[in-house]
Amino acid sequence: MRDRRAYEVVVVGGGPAGMTAALYATRLGHRTAVFEKEGGRHAAVSHVHNLYGVSEDVSGQELAAHAVAQLEEYGGDYHLDPVDEVRRTGGDGEGDSRFVVEATHATVEADRVVFATGFTDCGPYVPALQRFDGRGMFYCLHCDAYEVGDSPAFVLGRDDAAATDAMLLLNFTAEVDLLLDGDDPTWSDETDRQLAAHPVEVVEADVVDAYPADVDAEDPWLGGLTFGDGSERDYHGGFAMYGSEYNTSLAAALGCDLAEDGAIEVDADQETSVDGAYAVGDVTHGQNQTVLAMADGASAGMALHRDLRRFPVPVDELEERGSTPAAPAAASDLRARMRLLRRRETHAGLRGPDPRR
């Protein structure tokens, strides 16, 4: 028999955006749950970058584990369970304000739902390169150009975005190759003229293999690439620029509007076109930045609270009711947890490493 526990907020996706929305909603007194399929995109990040106060020694998986512990400490529920469907409790009617979230092992109801389902990178069509993901094979120049600074680097791709990123990479190193991997370029004539005026070498040959910098290392860094003509080039790292696909199937099936690029459309409060359904993080903009995803989650968490909170009550509603609702509004078990946590000397979350080391 499936569980039909009721929540005020259910978040679908446990990356930085989803977990931040859930943390805010839980701390603001709302019964909250997160559903996540195993192996999320952020959990695969080997080293976290550009995150205020967090060492590069911390992986995405380690950071995610801390976030789960925080959520559960505050009283939220975490389900490592992929969601198959999100629907209205009574179907498609306008009056159906609640949602049913059906996962593989549990079915729950929610007053509000948050989609934090992210996107999927379209990786390089070079299988040997994928084992170097995070260790020389990257997808976000803003995140990882620092990693290849002052070293030979490449961009894999054939469109305007790939050509532009190759030129941008010149801000970090003078040795940049743009690899077409046997395809014809699709960039515009204007981009072609601009590219020709920059010291970027365009390599047309197929990329057939990748080799490590240290063959004896357990998790080796990328050392370079082998091409179809038999040549080899040493690289410290590079970027695959083949675009991405937004994971919007659940939101689209619910009726949420999508933008022209395929992302979920949201308003200033991160709410979608479906009342009560919110979306946060990369699935709404594809910016591929942890801090921006967290900001989305925080905005959504506060907006959810404004939407769900009982107080203050409008005067006309009080006059119509003839009485004031009982306070406090947050559930008794969540309030008890608030009192308990105030007495703790330590709390869940990242407390190391020592910044003085």
Side-chain angles (χ1 to χ4, degrees):
M1 180 179 295
R2 286 179 177 267
D3 177 27
R4 288 298 289 267
R5 184 172 184 180
Y7 292 95
E8 288 182 274
V9 178
V10 168
V11 180
V12 183
M19 290 303 295
T20 302
L23 288 169
Y24 268 75
T26 304
R27 275 183 54 89
L28 287 168
H30 303 291
R31 196 173 301 286
T32 303
V34 172
F35 283 79
E36 180 184 23
K37 67 179 181 180
E38 190 170 10
R41 185 169 173 274
H42 190 263
V45 174
S46 58
H47 302 281
V48 173
H49 302 300
N50 300 335
L51 189 56
Y52 178 78
V54 177
S55 167
E56 291 196 5
D57 297 331
V58 177
S59 69
Q61 188 172 13
E62 290 169 329
L63 198 64
H66 283 295
V68 172
Q70 285 180 308
L71 176 71
E72 293 178 335
E73 184 178 79
Y74 294 146
D77 291 335
Y78 176 78
H79 302 270
L80 194 59
D81 196 4
V83 172
D84 301 317
E85 183 184 16
V86 178
R87 63 181 185 273
R88 292 289 194 182
T89 51
D92 299 326
E94 289 293 331
D96 303 316
S97 60
R98 290 177 61 77
F99 300 91
V100 175
V101 178
E102 187 167 344
T104 302
H105 300 100
T107 300
V108 300
E109 293 189 7
D111 293 320
R112 303 291 183 270
V113 65
V114 181
F115 294 105
T117 46
F119 64 72
T120 302
D121 292 303
C122 297
Y125 308 115
V126 184
L129 254 179
Q130 295 176 5
R131 71 185 179 114
F132 295 107
D133 278 1
R135 298 188 308 276
M137 182 69 258
F138 306 111
Y139 300 90
C140 174
L141 189 143
H142 292 97
C143 305
D144 296 305
Y146 189 96
E147 296 294 322
V148 302
D150 211 25
S151 302
F154 65 85
V155 171
L156 258 171
R158 60 184 182 274
D159 60 7
D160 284 271
T164 299
D165 279 348
M167 291 182 283
L168 285 169
L169 202 52
L170 290 168
N171 289 296
F172 301 89
T173 176
E175 300 177 76
V176 179
D177 291 348
L178 178 55
L179 312 182
L180 297 181
D181 192 19
D183 291 321
D184 293 326
T186 62
W187 53 68
S188 68
D189 291 340
E190 178 59 32
T191 297
D192 189 64
R193 288 192 294 271
Q194 186 179 25
L195 184 64
H198 284 73
V200 172
E201 182 176 353
V202 178
V203 180
E204 298 179 354
D206 294 340
V207 181
V208 297
D209 202 1
Y211 53 86
D214 182 357
V215 295
D216 297 322
E218 182 177 351
D219 294 310
W221 193 271
L222 175 69
L225 303 176
T226 302
F227 295 86
D229 59 9
S231 64
E232 292 185 346
R233 295 190 180 209
D234 291 340
Y235 296 108
H236 185 67
F239 299 82
M241 297 297 172
Y242 292 103
S244 57
E245 296 179 359
Y246 294 101
N247 301 322
T248 59
S249 58
L250 294 172
L254 184 65
C256 300
D257 290 343
L258 304 183
E260 289 186 7
D261 65 351
I264 301 175
E265 287 192 338
V266 294
D267 62 16
D269 289 328
Q270 302 295 137
E271 190 169 13
T272 72
S273 60
V274 174
D275 289 342
Y278 294 73
V280 293
D282 282 335
V283 75
T284 67
H285 50 60
Q287 289 294 317
N288 201 25
Q289 298 291 309
T290 299
V291 290
L292 295 181
M294 294 169 68
D296 288 349
S299 296
M302 290 184 283
L304 285 162
H305 179 56
R306 293 192 297 270
D307 195 14
L308 290 168
R309 65 188 178 192
R310 185 181 303 172
F311 295 99
V313 183
V315 174
D316 56 351
E317 183 179 330
L318 289 173
E319 293 174 346
E320 183 178 340
R321 291 168 59 113
S323 63
T324 302
S332 59
D333 61 319
L334 294 179
R335 301 198 314 271
R337 190 174 292 268
M338 295 173 190
R339 296 195 302 274
L340 174 65
L341 290 189
R342 288 201 297 267
R343 299 188 180 99
R344 289 193 179 181
E345 292 184 4
T346 59
H347 297 84
L350 189 65
R351 292 187 295 275
D354 189 332
R356 296 166 296 180
R357 71 175 191 168

